[in-house]
Amino acid sequence: MRRTHAILSVLTAGALAAAAVLTLSPSANAATTLGSAASAKGKYFGTAAAAYKFSDSVYTGLLDREFTMVTPENEMKWDATEPSQNSFSYSSADTIVNRAKANGQRVRGHALAWHSQQPGWASSLSGTALRNAMVNHITNVATHYKGQLYAWDVVNEAFSDNGDGSRRSSNLQQTGNDWIEVAFKTARAADSTAKLCYNDYNTDGVNAKSTAIYNMVKDFLARGVPIDCVGFQSHINSASPLPSDYQANLQRFADLGVEVQITELDIAGSGTTQANTYANVVKACLAVTKCTGITVWGIRDSDSWRSGDTPLLFDNSGNPKAAYNSVISAFGATTSPSASVSPSASTSSPPNTGGGCTATFSNNAWTGGFVTTVTVKAGSTALSGWKVGITLPSGAAITNSWSTTASGSSGAVTFSNVSYNGGVAAGASTSFGFQGTGSAPSGTASCTAS
Ligand code: G3I
C-alpha cells in the first residue's frame, strides 16, 4: 500500500506539474481578430473604409483581416454618387463593395439622404424640386446596390442639437416634415433586402434628441413606415462622454422591435481610459440582443476624420493599441499573435479542483514590447473578486492595462478585478490585459479568489 501510495503521489505530482507548466491557452494558436471575436458572440465588427487608401497595403491588410462589415466613409454619399443631376457615378463605392464581397464581408450603405455633403446642384434646390430629386436619388442608388447591402443609413442626422427634440433645419426638412418617411418608403420600394436604418449622433444616452428619434421610430412602426434599425454613431470625446445610460438607451430602442447598430464609433483619448471606454461600448452591445454589431469610424488614428484625438483601435503605423486588446477581451476572446511574432506559452497555476481560480495568459510579443491577455477562470464556486500574480522579467515595464487594476508596473505585479468583472460564475471566465515594454512575461501566474 505504502509503495503504491508513493508511486501514485509521484504520478499525481508530475501530472499537476505538467498542468501548471504548459497550458497553451486555446487562442494561442487561433487567429483572433476583431471580426472573429465579435462573430463568436453573434455580432459583426466593422469599419469605415476609404477607397482612395486601397493602395496602402498596411491599410488594406488590416481592412481585409480584422473586420466583417464595411461602410464606405464617403463614396456612397449624394455628392459622390450623383455629382450632377440624374448622372450617377458608382465606381469608388463599387470598389469598396466589391472588395468587401470578395473578402466575405458585409456592407452598410451610408447615406441616402443627409443635409450634408449634397452636390451643389441639390443644395441649391428647394421645395418640390428638391423632394423629387431626393426621391430620384434614393431610387437610383438603392436600386444600383439592391441585394448587395446588409443595411442602409437611409436618413442621416435629421434632428437638431438644440435640446428640444426638434428636427434639424435643412433644405430637406423644408420640403415637408414627411421627408424622412418618404425617404424610407422610397428606399424600401427600391430594395426590399437591405435593413433600413435611421442614423444620428449625440443620441447615445436618453436625451431630447434620442427621445425624439425614439418617438419617430415608434410612430413609423405603428403606421407601417418601413424601418428596421437605428444607428448610434457614438462619436465619444470629453464633450460627449459615453453616458451611463448607454445600454439602457440601446435597450429601449431594441424593445421597440428594431435593430440597434453602433455605426461610427471612435473614442478620443489614449491608454487605459480609452481602452476601458471601448470595452464598455462592447459590453453594452453584448448586453442588448438586438445590437447586431459595432462599426468603428476608421482603421488607424491617422485615418480618422479627427485624427488629432487618436480615437481608433490602431496607431498611425497600424499597430494594435490597448483599445484593440480591450475590445478583443470584452468580447471574451484573447488576442493571438500576428503572423510575424510567435506566441509565448501561457502558464497557469495548478488545475482548480475546488473553489478559487486559475489564470492563463497569452502574449503578443515583438522586439521591445508585448501585450499580455490573461484569462481568469473560476473553479467550482463562483468568484466575487480575484487577484492574479505575474512576475515580469527584469527590464520589462507595464505601460497600460485594461479591465484590471495593477499593483505596480514591474517585477512581481498583482492584478485585481475592477468593478465590472469581479463576479465570475463557477466554471466561467473573464479576461483582462496589459501592454508593456521589454520582454513578455512567462512562468507561472497565480490566482487567488478575493
Ligand atoms: O474628395 C475631396 C478631394 O477631392 C479634395 O481634394 C479634398 C480637399 O477638400 O476634399 C475631399 O473631400 C473630403 C471628403 O471627406 C473625402 O475625403 C471633404 O472635403 C471632407 O469634408 C469629407 O469629410 C468627411 C465628413 O464626413 C464630411 O462631413 C469625413 O471624411 C467623414 O469621416 C465624415 O463622416 C461623417 C459621417 O458621414 C456622418 N457622421 C459624422 C461623420 C464625421 O463627420
Side-chain angles (χ1 to χ4, degrees):
M1 179 61 88
R2 185 181 293 276
R3 179 174 166 68
T4 307
H5 179 69
I7 290 172
L8 276 177
S9 301
V10 167
L11 286 176
T12 305
L16 279 178
V21 171
L22 277 179
T23 310
L24 272 179
S25 64
S27 67
N29 301 314
T32 304
T33 64
L34 294 165
S36 66
S39 295
K41 299 292 184 181
K43 313 285 185 183
Y44 67 73
F45 202 94
T47 184
Y52 76 93
K53 295 182 179 174
F54 282 12
S55 57
D56 176 339
S57 58
V58 173
Y59 183 86
T60 54
L62 293 170
L63 172 63
D64 297 348
R65 186 186 78 207
E66 291 289 337
F67 302 96
T68 50
M69 183 72 76
V70 180
T71 303
E73 186 173 6
N74 292 292
E75 292 79 357
M76 285 186 176
K77 294 173 179 174
W78 200 342
D79 61 348
T81 52
E82 192 181 3
S84 51
Q85 188 161 13
N86 215 28
S87 170
F88 294 89
S89 166
Y90 301 113
S91 57
S92 293
D94 286 349
T95 298
I96 295 172
V97 172
N98 293 338
R99 185 184 194 99
K101 287 162 73 175
N103 274 327
Q105 297 161 321
R106 292 181 292 178
V107 179
R108 293 189 80 261
H110 173 81
L112 289 171
W114 187 24
H115 70 277
S116 181
Q117 286 186 268
Q118 295 176 8
W121 66 266
S123 57
S124 58
L125 293 180
S126 60
T128 305
L130 177 59
R131 173 64 64 90
N132 292 340
M134 178 193 82
V135 169
N136 184 60
H137 175 74
I138 293 173
T139 301
N140 278 274
V141 177
T143 300
H144 179 81
Y145 289 107
K146 180 176 181 176
Q148 301 186 69
L149 304 182
Y150 172 71
W152 265 114
D153 288 333
V154 175
V155 171
N156 195 44
E157 303 178 6
F159 284 81
S160 79
D161 290 310
N162 61 18
D164 63 2
S166 60
R167 292 282 183 88
R168 173 189 300 274
S169 175
S170 72
N171 61 348
L172 293 170
Q173 178 61 31
Q174 282 151 24
T175 67
N177 210 50
D178 64 338
W179 75 277
I180 298 178
E181 68 184 77
V182 167
F184 275 87
K185 288 175 179 172
T186 304
R188 174 60 77 236
D191 184 353
S192 60
T193 64
K195 293 178 184 288
L196 305 183
C197 304
Y198 175 81
N199 189 51
D200 216 326
Y201 67 90
N202 284 350
T203 57
D204 298 317
V206 178
N207 58 41
K209 187 175 185 180
S210 63
T211 298
I213 296 163
Y214 177 89
N215 292 333
M216 177 187 75
V217 172
K218 192 173 180 180
D219 168 56
F220 280 11
L221 293 172
R223 291 191 292 118
V225 177
I227 185 166
D228 306 299
C229 35
V230 175
F232 297 83
Q233 293 183 14
S234 297
H235 293 297
I236 304 299
N237 60 16
S238 53
S240 307
L242 189 69
S244 56
D245 58 0
Y246 186 65
Q247 179 181 321
N249 187 47
L250 296 177
Q251 188 62 59
R252 69 168 175 159
F253 280 86
D255 291 345
L256 285 176
V258 292
E259 269 188 40
V260 294
Q261 299 169 8
I262 312 303
T263 53
E264 304 183 15
L265 181 63
D266 47 29
I267 300 174
S270 60
T272 303
T273 303
Q274 181 184 58
N276 287 341
T277 306
Y278 265 104
N280 290 336
V281 172
V282 171
K283 287 177 170 63
C285 185
L286 286 172
V288 178
T289 303
K290 283 185 178 291
C291 180
T292 45
I294 297 170
T295 294
V296 286
W297 205 241
I299 299 176
R300 302 163 299 192
D301 286 334
S302 49
D303 300 317
S304 172
W305 65 294
R306 52 181 188 152
S307 56
D309 288 344
T310 61
L312 297 173
L313 299 176
F314 296 89
D315 67 21
N316 295 349
S317 304
N319 298 312
K321 297 160 53 179
Y324 172 92
N325 295 296
S326 73
V327 168
I328 297 284
S329 297
F331 277 116
T334 51
T335 49
S336 61
S338 63
S340 59
V341 293
S342 59
S344 316
S346 69
T347 58
S348 72
S349 47
N352 212 348
T353 52
C357 54
T358 56
T360 58
F361 63 86
S362 61
N363 296 317
N364 237 342
W366 58 88
T367 307
F370 63 90
V371 168
T372 299
T373 303
V374 186
T375 299
V376 176
K377 184 178 174 70
S380 56
T381 52
L383 298 174
S384 56
W386 43 263
K387 290 184 186 302
V388 170
I390 294 177
T391 299
L392 298 179
S394 72
I398 295 172
T399 51
N400 53 60
S401 60
W402 52 92
S403 301
T404 187
T405 302
S407 65
S409 60
S410 60
V413 180
T414 299
F415 299 90
S416 306
N417 62 279
V418 290
S419 59
Y420 56 74
N421 64 3
V424 185
S429 302
T430 188
S431 56
F432 69 88
F434 54 94
Q435 185 163 346
T437 55
S439 304
S442 57
T444 306
S446 68
C447 191
T448 312
S450 61

